[in-house]
Amino acid sequence: MILGTGGTIAGTAASADEAVGYQAAQLGVERLVAAVPPLAGLALECEQVAQLNSKDMTHAVWQRLAQRCAHHLARDDVAGVVVTHGTDTLEETAYFLHRVLAPAKPLVLTAAMRPATSMQADGPQNLLDAVTVARHGAALGWRGVMAVLAATVHAAVDVRKVHGWRLDAFDSGDAGPVGAVVAGALQRLRDVPTCAPVGLGAIARDVGQWPRVEVVASHAGASGRVVDALVADGVDGLVVAATGFGDVHAEVLAALERARARGVAVAIATRCAYGPVIDAATRAVDARTPWQMRIDLLLERLRAG
Ligand code: ASP
């Protein structure tokens, strides 16, 4: 099952050498599949769940996408699901689906760094590789949410976009990828981490009623006024993109204390690309990115009602 949501993989430009000035989310998912000759003849179905530039991803699309993924994954005649997506927020959608569904079959996101009209279009190969993982990943023990880009297979808990323009723009942080697709063959390095899913019931509420969880940053010259303003504006949760292994500017810390006193949930992640938050007292580590922590806080608050 191939679910389309838009992105550069479905993007078009006026000329084949245009890699920056293009429109994302122009081609339907069936056109993307038709552009990959080796997919012809496979038992594939397509569904257009959304058509957007993923920089504009919404909770409403996430809700619908999770529901459609769950529907198709529950079908006996479906081995796995592929989602075509934009690269900008792919890691957030992957983590959201992981935390909500943690499916027992492969659910594979893929994307492209060049539009479909580019001489360097990477979408067709990425889509083919993603379908290969969706069809054959379970035989290697790969179940759950993954992302396949540039011949590399990432787990949803680890994948992140690390480059704005390169074709090989994703990595899996300190954990490293779970494997690769080498000339059509799967190479397994390790398992795909799983989790206890929160389930579709937790996200069934109208998205207009979902809690508000925002990300703020700790940085030189920070004043804490952003935190105060968000609390005054009724925010429900705050994630701080902290420095180093979890340090927060004294002014921001003071504002966070005021926020906590008003019942706002606060979580600390790091703005560093690599390395976890480390609790100085317990030595516990937490490798979640600020965007992952925002999703967890959101789901926690949704579950709390
Ligand atoms: N802005 C695009 C998107 O995320 C970028 C891409 O797909 O590469 O939809």
Side-chain angles (χ1 to χ4, degrees), residues 67 92 107 116-117 120 125 127 135 181 232 243 253 265 281 297 304:
Q67 289 164 344
E92 296 177 56
L107 169 50
T117 47
Q120 278 190 308
Q125 185 67 54
L127 180 53
R135 293 176 70 215
V181 188
T243 48
L253 266 186
L297 210 47

Side-chain angles (χ1 to χ4, degrees), residues 9-236:
I9 192 168
T12 58
S15 63
D17 59 350
E18 181 56 82
V20 180
Y22 63 88
Q23 292 288 320
Q26 299 300 302
L27 304 177
V29 62
E30 283 175 5
R31 289 273 298 276
L32 306 188
V33 171
V36 186
L39 293 181
L42 293 185
L44 298 177
E45 284 177 45
C46 298
E47 181 178 317
Q48 196 76 44
V49 175
Q51 186 66 298
L52 83 170
N53 186 324
S54 83
K55 73 178 177 62
D56 300 321
M57 183 52 67
T58 65
H59 290 162
V61 172
W62 273 1
Q63 184 185 54
R64 169 116 185 111
L65 181 61
Q67 289 164 344
R68 296 313 293 158
C69 287
H71 168 80
H72 292 297
L73 288 163
R75 289 169 48 184
D76 288 340
D77 61 337
V78 168
V81 170
V82 170
V83 176
T84 60
H85 200 282
T87 59
D88 285 347
T89 56
L90 179 141
E91 68 204 69
E92 296 177 56
T93 300
Y95 190 72
F96 178 77
L97 294 172
H98 167 72
R99 292 292 291 111
V100 172
L101 301 177
K105 293 178 184 174
L107 169 50
V108 187
L109 283 82
T110 194
M113 293 298 289
R114 299 286 182 273
T117 47
S118 167
M119 290 186 290
Q120 278 190 308
D122 49 331
Q125 185 67 54
N126 284 348
L127 180 53
L128 178 61
D129 291 346
V131 170
T132 302
V133 173
R135 293 176 70 215
H136 304 299
L140 300 182
W142 284 342
R143 293 155 208 284
V145 185
M146 290 163 269
V148 175
L149 299 122
T152 308
V153 187
H154 306 273
V157 291
D158 301 312
V159 68
R160 72 258 336 251
K161 186 173 178 179
V162 293
H163 201 282
W165 193 74
R166 264 188 351 217
L167 289 173
D168 191 4
F170 285 77
D171 79 13
S172 279
D174 291 325
V178 297
V181 188
V182 182
L186 299 185
Q187 285 191 351
R188 184 184 172 285
L189 294 172
R190 63 185 177 91
D191 287 338
V192 175
T194 190
C195 69
V198 302
L200 283 179
I203 62 160
R205 196 188 311 170
D206 184 279
V207 293
Q209 312 297 318
W210 283 20
R212 262 186 68 207
V213 181
E214 304 277 355
V215 177
V216 297
S218 183
H219 54 85
S223 70
R225 286 168 61 185
V226 174
V227 171
D228 289 335
L230 285 168
V231 173
D233 196 43
V235 79
D236 299 292

